[in-house]
Amino acid sequence: MKALVVTRIGGPEELPDMLEIREIPEPVANEGEVLVRVEAVGVNFADVLGVKGKYPGGPQPPYVPGREFSGVVEATGEAVMGYAQHSACAERIAVSRKMVWSRPQNWDATLGAAFPVNYFTAWLALWKGGVVPEIAPADPSPIGDAKPYRALIHAAAGGVGTAGVQLGRLMEIETFGTASQDTKLERLKEFGLDHGINYKREDYEQRVMELTNGEGVDVVFDSLAGEHTAKSLRCCRFLGRVIMYGNTSGERPKFDTMAMYSKAASLHGLWLSKLSLNETLMQQALRSMTPWIDSGRLKPIVGATLPFEQTADAYRMLLERTNFGKVALTLG
């Protein structure tokens, strides 16, 4: 079968030479797995880190990339969307039945491929942030009855960011989003963003405190790490939480322990690769979002769709932060 293969590790400038369409053996579905004919694949920053050799525990070349996908189960014809650690950028993938979910009837394959990583991550960030206490009685919200809940979403125009903005509107959360361009922030308002902050022009820490009269926010989506982790902690209100799920700055997170002490703030790690193994949690997340999906109020935002042959261009879009919403690949 045809598949996209990462042939070696290298830097962004080497991307076209590191990716190759090859013929590889067909996968075989083992017990508990299904064979899916892939129609579309979502692109994530984890994929970019993988080709740079910087994704923890990632596969070594040569390997087939792709963490989320949408297609059809070969044995039944069921349209599904799914999640895997790699191997989705191929004509077929064998994956655990627990890691595929029925694709909404009114969604095409591209929308299905844009859902798993972004929307599960955003929902889990809000859950860990204590914003969805009725869903997670074992981890209740420390915020109490304070209204409105507030969320600061870094990289708000990206895949997880746009998902967080949409969920924030549906959960009646006051959202603050950072992005590098005013045009992106204006588009985000269409999807429910309350306060846009251009981090190229404004200090987002100062702006958040101005907008909240010095109180801060309840939860921060931190995909940046580096100095932004310390700044995010300072953006918290009392008992606020920073949810760290990425490291796009390429730097180790820095902490402001005084901010943590003075605000009783905390930082939580979120790694979808590990949380996705909790079938009960994943099913609960999907069930809670399903009414919004069925009503059409929640739908992935796909900013660009490219063929597998242009995967290098898709990766560059994420590296250069030129994308809005999800970048997806299709197998021609």
Side-chain angles (χ1 to χ4, degrees):
M1 69 174 182
K2 185 163 65 174
L4 177 73
V5 177
V6 176
T7 60
R8 61 182 176 84
I9 298 300
E13 68 283 352
E14 303 174 85
L15 275 172
D17 299 325
M18 296 155 52
L19 302 170
E20 184 178 314
I21 302 293
R22 291 181 178 177
E23 287 289 328
I24 67 170
E26 293 263 359
V28 176
N30 297 316
E31 185 177 355
E33 294 184 331
V34 292
L35 191 63
V36 177
R37 185 171 71 253
V38 177
E39 297 175 325
V41 177
V43 179
N44 297 282
F45 204 80
D47 300 317
V48 179
L49 291 177
V51 298
K52 295 169 69 176
K54 294 185 177 181
Y55 189 80
Q60 296 301 307
Y63 71 91
V64 176
R67 306 178 67 80
E68 61 185 335
F69 58 91
S70 186
V72 176
V73 177
E74 288 275 40
T76 65
E78 177 189 5
V80 296
M81 51 191 183
Y83 177 72
Q85 301 306 313
H86 52 79
S87 300
C89 289
E91 290 184 309
R92 291 172 181 80
I93 182 173
V95 63
S96 169
R97 178 69 222 192
K98 296 178 181 179
M99 292 297 179
V100 295
W101 306 276
S102 295
R103 190 171 77 208
Q105 291 186 352
N106 57 335
W107 286 9
D108 62 16
T110 302
L111 290 175
F115 180 83
V117 169
N118 292 348
Y119 288 82
F120 280 124
T121 298
W123 188 93
L124 289 165
L126 292 170
W127 168 65
K128 290 299 292 180
V131 180
V132 228
E134 70 278 9
I135 304 297
D139 187 19
S141 168
I143 302 168
D145 295 326
K147 296 289 184 180
Y149 293 130
R150 297 174 178 145
L152 169 60
I153 303 170
H154 289 307
V160 175
T162 52
V165 168
Q166 288 179 293
L167 288 171
R169 176 182 58 185
L170 293 167
M171 294 180 182
E172 299 183 351
I173 298 167
E174 185 178 4
T175 50
F176 303 72
T178 66
S180 61
Q181 299 174 18
D182 289 338
T183 52
K184 289 184 176 182
L185 293 170
E186 284 300 315
R187 288 189 66 187
L188 283 165
K189 289 181 180 179
E190 300 174 18
F191 299 100
L193 183 68
D194 294 304
H195 309 285
I197 303 171
N198 186 327
Y199 66 82
K200 294 283 190 180
R201 194 174 61 245
E202 300 179 280
D203 183 312
Y204 64 79
E205 178 186 342
Q206 179 180 343
R207 186 60 179 145
V208 165
M209 300 313 285
E210 289 174 353
L211 290 167
T212 62
N213 296 316
E215 289 185 1
V217 300
D218 301 297
V219 59
V220 183
F221 284 40
D222 181 12
S223 59
L224 308 175
E227 66 176 14
H228 299 286
T229 300
K231 288 174 67 69
S232 294
L233 285 164
R234 293 195 292 271
C235 286
C236 286
R237 75 181 348 165
F238 185 67
L239 295 176
R241 300 175 179 181
V242 173
I243 312 300
M244 177 175 289
Y245 61 93
N247 184 13
T248 59
S249 70
E251 300 177 2
R252 293 178 65 86
K254 299 178 181 178
F255 299 90
D256 186 332
T257 52
M258 185 54 67
M260 297 176 75
Y261 289 141
S262 62
K263 298 183 178 185
S266 57
L267 186 142
H268 297 248
L270 193 166
W271 194 358
L272 187 61
S273 295
K274 303 300 181 182
L275 286 171
S276 64
L277 300 176
N278 187 320
E279 184 182 5
T280 300
L281 180 60
M282 297 293 282
Q283 290 292 346
Q284 179 60 77
L286 184 58
R287 280 197 300 270
S288 73
M289 290 185 277
T290 296
W292 295 325
I293 293 171
D294 290 344
S295 68
R297 300 174 68 195
L298 186 65
K299 185 172 72 172
I301 300 167
V302 180
T305 303
L306 303 172
F308 276 13
E309 289 79 4
Q310 294 181 29
T311 299
D313 295 328
Y315 285 8
R316 283 200 190 92
M317 292 178 74
L318 269 65
L319 280 167
E320 298 170 2
R321 296 173 173 79
T322 58
N323 62 297
F324 184 90
K326 195 69 174 184
V327 178
L329 301 171
T330 56
L331 183 61

